[in-house]
């Protein structure tokens, strides 16, 4: 029927098919110690297998002891995602053999997770999306492998590092409520933002402390029955998630157009190829033989505990955005940008608290500070200048002590090394020229040196005034109060 | 001094007649003379020396403060981890494995000044009832070397029966302390599940395993239990409740105590000699002032199949870590799958493989509800029936094993071997304390009387057993000297 369908574009496919996407997110918890032993959960940079003990090495005879903070963080996450917290929960063993799994089973949760039935709401292109959260549960991370070769089965040799083994890992299973790659991406952005805000995860996709797998199927628009679902792994950035899902939509759409079946399988995103490739088909699916972990008593999550965690829940991104709009008159757009990272929002509030007007604070943060932070890969909080330094600098501008352009130069100069802006201004004589007599002398000199511009202005050319102001700024290397210079010029030339 | 007790040895130590090092050396030579029975897998020489010196210091510094176990030699089962001492769980797959840490229960004994001398033979990963499943060869029963000592803690039972050490440690998952104690004519105590930490015990079945002592005297077993018992933050299944002092209970007698005889435990299948010995034990308990009545535990017949689903299911996961990647035996093959298959194929013996297969099957998708979930329900039922019985009686008394020690090689059919534990494994399923004490002979071989108590009534169980021992000579009866031997080591 549709002969050209084999080369249909994403738009054409989306016009005929509706993607059904569900995401599974794994987030390492920012606890001090691992899930079941006393080793540090901060394993990055340790020499291989040094951040280990008999428990996380899975030696014979050892037993797990549950990290209570990890349970609290998971409950905190679940509450932030509007989940129910059942009173009874338990850990289970998920059995499979792999060299990065020291015990031959992962302690996870099967049929009684710590939480279930939540949701996350957000908007994409003005459309409200509400994605269900099936469950948030707690488990332990595996070690890491490095192969001489592509995959373990064909590798000539492999080395195991168990530094990561046993790090608390939270799994957030989303319902298949997402209908486009953009929605999937936005869901992840929002979810990551929440986890970072509530202090349970550092949101680092590159290092894998925040990881995402996707399930995606296509169905003809208007149909309710679900298509065959494909699991996509190895996506290490938001961009990769969006590209991989768009790739899958096109791949599956073209197969369906040709009347070919979709194989139920796991596919991996290969960034360099810009494509997903088949990793494992359903026939090789594991039977994990879950059963209750006999080494850990079942968990009782009391109402008191849940309410205490709920009471301690910090302000969530959505609440903060609304508050910044309400209390400080920020636009929705500015509030969203300021609140994207918790650190920026915190800096904003500190600037405002230090007496900087809200709009000014937002402009500095979204403009010059954002650029420097990006270019130097150093957020304001960790820069030498810091939030207090920025506040001091902005206040010099606000008080008329220095000009805006001087302030920008100083910000650039002091951002990394730090320093007291007021002292630098004093030492170098950078203070704005605002002395009336001095300004009058300056204006007189400008008028005398630019007869052509003066004639133009007097002849009715308003722009000529800007040339004269520019001359004044140039003569003072930007230190003159531009507004005062403009006023004086008008006065003189009107006479 | 033939077959000395903890108290005997402690007294000589305090009188300065001997030293911990001398006692350890005497135990070692006594153990060496048992080589024909093969109860010892290895000696702990370096640790022995260190620990003997430590005990000697404690005794010299303050003999009063040093506890009853200070300077006393002992042996322990090859499933308990001690830093620096090879521990193999009777298996080829752990050959050469040296733990870098010491388990809690054994660590507490070391802190009490006890001196380990040897690591004892056992069934591979504690799976067996005859000690014939050890990868390093079977153990002979001191009463008749052609017969089995019981299992899986056969080596630990044999060395105590032979008098080479006054006490030893075993583990009990379905009867692995009580049944060999019965076969070898010594006391063997399995504490309440959760009373002694399992940290450092190479797991067979995590929800059933428990560490306990063998001794000839119940009070010696009580001393060892007291030293090991109590909450351990490293074992989340260990109970935080206070340990009831045992000393106060021992010697109180059993006047006025109500004892129950489970009808189902006296059913057909009991050897006549066992029945006779146990029934006369009942009569004696009555004479000592207890009232005896029959109780019923109707789900008893389901216990065996319940046990043989739960224990293998847990072991199938517990033994997955023996993969040759990080420690122990390893067969190198070009592919990972082949390395796993060969390492585990050659590393595990047939009984271990059988149980891993059983457990894997019971947990498989589609079978879980029919087997594992159902077994858990029956397990709860069995525990509830015990609870109801304990509403009427203070403790239960019954045979430990329906049979006496059988000849090596007689029970090659796994099912007939599993049946050895029908009277002990319900106690593990319910997590109760149980002890076996010698109560007579049948055809010249020891018979065991089992005392079972409610959860955490470990002291009560020891009290009943102690009262029985105080009135009977059976625990004094030594095994006959082996034919042709010059005599037992003294
Ligand atoms: Zn560790």
């Amino acid at each position: 029927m549709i002969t050209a369908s084999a080369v249909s574009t994403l738009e054409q496919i989306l016009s005929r098919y509706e993607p059904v996407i569900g995401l599974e997110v794994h987030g390492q918890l920012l606890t001090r110690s691992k899930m079941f032993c006393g080793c540090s959960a901060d394993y990055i940079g340790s020499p291989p297998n040094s951040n280990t003990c008999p428990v996380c090495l899975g030696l014979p005879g050892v037993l797990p002891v549950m990290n209570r903070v990890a349970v609290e963080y998971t409950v905190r996450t679940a509450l932030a995602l509007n989940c129910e917290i059942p009173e009874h929960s338990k850990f289970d063993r998920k059995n499979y053999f792999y060299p990065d799994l020291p015990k031959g089973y992962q302690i996870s949760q099967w049929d009684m997770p710590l939480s279930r039935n939540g949701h996350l709401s957000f908007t994409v292109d003005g459309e409200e999306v509400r994605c269900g959260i099936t469950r948030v549960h707690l488990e332990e991370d595996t070690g890491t492998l490095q192969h001489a070769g592509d995959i373990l089965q064909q590798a000539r040799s492999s080395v195991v590092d168990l530094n990561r083994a046993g790090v608390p890992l939270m799994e957030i299973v989303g319902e298949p409520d997402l209908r486009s790659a953009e929605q999937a991406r936005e869901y992840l952005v929002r979810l990551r933002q929440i986890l970072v805000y509530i202090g349970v995860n550092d949101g680092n996709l590159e290092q894998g402390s925040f990881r995402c797998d996707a399930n995606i199927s296509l169905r003809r628009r208007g149909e309710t029955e679900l298509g065959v679902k494909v699991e996509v792994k190895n996506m290490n950035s938001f961009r990769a998630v969006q590209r991989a899902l768009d790739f899958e939509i096109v791949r599956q759409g073209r197969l369906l157009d040709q009347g070919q079946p979709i194989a139920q399988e796991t596919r991996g995103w290969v960034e360099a190829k810009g494509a997903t490739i088949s990793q494992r088909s359903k026939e090789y699916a594991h039977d994990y033989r879950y059963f209750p972990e006999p080494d850990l008593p079942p968990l009782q999550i009391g109402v008191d505990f849940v309410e205490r965690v709920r009471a301690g829940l910090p302000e969530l991104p959505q609440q903060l955005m609304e508050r910044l709009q309400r209390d400080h008159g920020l636009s929705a757009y500015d509030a969203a940008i300021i609140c994207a990272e918790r650190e920026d929002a915190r800096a904003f509030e500190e600037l405002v608290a230090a007496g900087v007007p809200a709009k000014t604070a937002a402009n500095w943060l979204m403009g010059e500070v954002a650029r420097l932070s990006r270019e130097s890969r150093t957020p304001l909080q960790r820069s030498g200048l810091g939030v207090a330094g920025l506040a001091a600098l902005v206040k010099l501008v606000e008080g008329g002590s220095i000009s805006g352009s001087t302030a920008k130069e100083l910000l650039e100069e002091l951002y990394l090394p730090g320093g007291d802006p007021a002292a630098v201004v004093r030492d170098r004589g950078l203070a704005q020229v605002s002395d009336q007599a001095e300004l009058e002398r300056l204006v007189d000199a400008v008028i005398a040196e630019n007869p052509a511009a003066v004639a133009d202005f007097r002849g009715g050319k308003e722009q000529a005034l800007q040339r004269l102001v520019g001359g004044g700024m140039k003569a003072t290397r930007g230190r003159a109060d531009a507004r005062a210079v403009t006023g004086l010029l008008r006065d003189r030339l009107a006479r | 001094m033939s077959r000395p007790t903890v108290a005997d040895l402690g007294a000589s130590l305090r009188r300065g007649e001997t030293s911990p090092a001398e006692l350890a050396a005497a135990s070692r030579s006594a153990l060496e003379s048992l080589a024909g029975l093969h109860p010892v897998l290895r000696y702990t020489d370096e640790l022995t020396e260190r620990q003997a010196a430590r005990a000697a210091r404690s005794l010299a510094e303050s003999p009063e403060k040093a506890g009853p176990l200070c300077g006393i030699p002992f042996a322990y089962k090859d499933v308990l981890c001690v830093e620096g001492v090879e521990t193999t769980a009777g298996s080829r797959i752990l050959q050469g494995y040296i733990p870098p840490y010491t388990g809690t229960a054994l660590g507490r004994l070391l802190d009490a000044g006890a001196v380990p001398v040897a690591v004892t033979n056992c069934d591979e990963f504690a799976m067996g009832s005859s000690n014939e499943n050890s990868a390093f060869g079977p153990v002979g029963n001191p009463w008749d070397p052609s017969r089995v000592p019981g299992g899986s803690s056969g080596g630990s039972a044999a060395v105590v029966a032979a008098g080479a050490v006054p006490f030893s440690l075993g583990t009990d998952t379905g009867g692995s302390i009580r049944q060999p104690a019965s076969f070898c004519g010594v006391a063997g105590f399995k504490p309440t599940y959760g009373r002694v930490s399992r940290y450092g015990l190479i797991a067979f079945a995590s929800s059933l395993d428990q560490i306990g002592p063998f001794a000839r005297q119940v009070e010696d077993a009580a001393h060892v239990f007291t030293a090991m018992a109590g909450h351990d933050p490293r074992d989340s299944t260990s109970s935080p409740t206070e340990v009831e002092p045992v000393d106060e209970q021992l010697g109180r007698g059993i006047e006025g105590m109500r004892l129950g005889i489970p009808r189902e435990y006296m059913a057909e299948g009991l050897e006549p000699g066992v029945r006779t010995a146990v029934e006369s034990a009942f009569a004696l308990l009555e004479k000592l002032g207890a009232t005896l009545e029959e109780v019923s535990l109707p789900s008893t017949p389901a216990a065996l199949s319940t046990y043989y689903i739960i224990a293998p299911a847990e072991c199938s996961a517990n033994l997955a870590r023996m993969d040759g990647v990080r420690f122990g035996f390893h067969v190198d093959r070009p592919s990972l799958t082949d390395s796993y298959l060969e390492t585990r194929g050659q590393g595990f013996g047939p009984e271990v493989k059988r149980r891993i297969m059983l457990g894997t099957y019971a947990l498989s998708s589609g079978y879980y509800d029919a087997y594992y979930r159902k077994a858990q329900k029956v397990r709860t039922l069995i525990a509830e029936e015990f609870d109801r019985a304990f509403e009427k009686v203070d403790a239960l008394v019954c045979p430990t094993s329906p049979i006496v020690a059988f000849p090596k090689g007689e029970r090659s059919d796994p099912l007939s071997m599993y049946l050895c534990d029908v009277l002990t494994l319900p106690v593990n399923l319910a997590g109760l304390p149980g002890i076996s004490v010698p109560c007579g002979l049948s055809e010249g071989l020891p018979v065991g009387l089992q005392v079972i108590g409610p959860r955490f009534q470990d002291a009560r169980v020891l009290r009943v057993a102690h009262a029985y021992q105080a009135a009977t000579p059976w625990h004094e009866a030594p095994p006959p000297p082996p034919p042709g031997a010059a005599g037992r080591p003294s």
Side-chain angles (χ1 to χ4, degrees), chain B residues 2 31 34 36 56 83 99 148 171 183 189 221 257 290-291 340 342 397 427 452 454 457 485:
Chain B
S2 174
L31 289 166
L34 298 176
E83 184 179 350
V148 304
T171 61
F183 278 20
F189 177 48
M257 223 183 225
T291 55
Y340 279 154
E342 288 295 319
V397 287
V427 176
I452 304 164
Q457 297 299 329

Side-chain angles (χ1 to χ4, degrees), chain B residues 26-83:
Chain B
S27 271
R28 168 148 190 173
S29 62
L31 289 166
E32 278 168 349
S33 74
L34 298 176
L37 298 176
H38 196 37
V40 171
L41 289 179
R42 63 196 75 92
Y43 293 94
T44 59
D45 294 329
E46 230 179 282
L47 174 67
T48 307
E49 206 178 300
R50 223 169 38 236
Q51 217 17 57
R54 183 179 170 187
R57 272 197 310 277
S58 299
L59 286 164
E61 277 164 20
S62 63
E64 317 79 42
K65 261 201 218 154
L69 299 178
C70 192
I72 308 296
F74 74 102
Y76 65 89
K77 188 180 181 178
D78 187 28
V79 294
L80 300 175
C81 295
V82 178
E83 184 179 350

Side-chain angles (χ1 to χ4, degrees), chain A residues 341 343-344 347 365 367-387 390 411-412 414-418:
Chain A
E341 298 291 338
E343 284 190 326
D344 290 345
L365 289 174
E368 291 301 300
V369 174
R371 180 180 63 82
L372 287 169
S373 158
R374 198 169 50 243
E375 283 170 9
S376 64
R377 293 178 160 272
T378 309
L380 178 63
Q381 276 85 349
R382 286 199 291 280
S383 72
L385 187 64
V387 179
L390 177 65
L411 174 65
E412 179 125 24
L414 299 179
Y415 189 76
L416 288 178

Side-chain angles (χ1 to χ4, degrees), chain A residues 54-55 57-66 93 95 97-99 102-105 110-111 152-153 155 160 162 287 289-292 294-297, chain B residues 81 94 97 100-101 193 198-202 206-207 233-237 313-314 317-318 320-322 325-327 336 340 344 360 363-365 368 372:
Chain A
V55 174
L57 287 174
L59 296 185
V62 299
L63 297 169
V65 177
M66 188 188 71
R93 292 184 180 178
N95 296 284
F97 285 98
Y98 210 62
K103 299 187 294 296
Y105 58 84
W110 180 37
D111 55 348
L152 180 57
Q153 274 70 18
V160 187
L162 296 175
D287 177 358
R289 308 191 310 279
Y290 282 100
F291 75 102
D295 288 333
L296 292 168
Chain B
C81 295
L94 280 177
Y97 172 65
Y101 74 99
Y193 181 81
R198 293 182 294 115
Y199 188 76
L201 154 60
I202 298 179
S206 313
S207 73
R234 289 184 180 277
D235 177 0
S236 310
T237 65
E314 290 180 6
N318 283 334
R321 70 189 64 197
M322 320 298 163
V325 173
R326 287 147 297 133
F327 50 80
L336 174 69
Y340 279 154
R344 291 169 63 85
T360 304
L363 293 173
S364 295
S365 135
Y368 182 87
Y372 187 80

Side-chain angles (χ1 to χ4, degrees), chain A residues 6-58:
Chain A
V7 289
S8 290
T9 62
L10 177 62
E11 287 72 29
Q12 290 167 332
I13 286 165
L14 284 174
S15 70
R16 293 193 291 278
Y17 298 101
E18 179 182 51
V20 176
I21 301 167
L23 299 179
E24 277 175 27
V25 167
H26 284 92
Q28 286 174 352
L29 293 174
L30 289 172
T31 52
R32 268 212 304 255
S33 57
K34 289 187 178 181
M35 187 62 225
F36 298 114
C37 63
C39 293
S40 172
D42 182 11
Y43 60 92
I44 305 268
S46 305
N49 297 305
S50 63
N51 183 37
T52 57
C53 70
V55 174
C56 57
L57 287 174

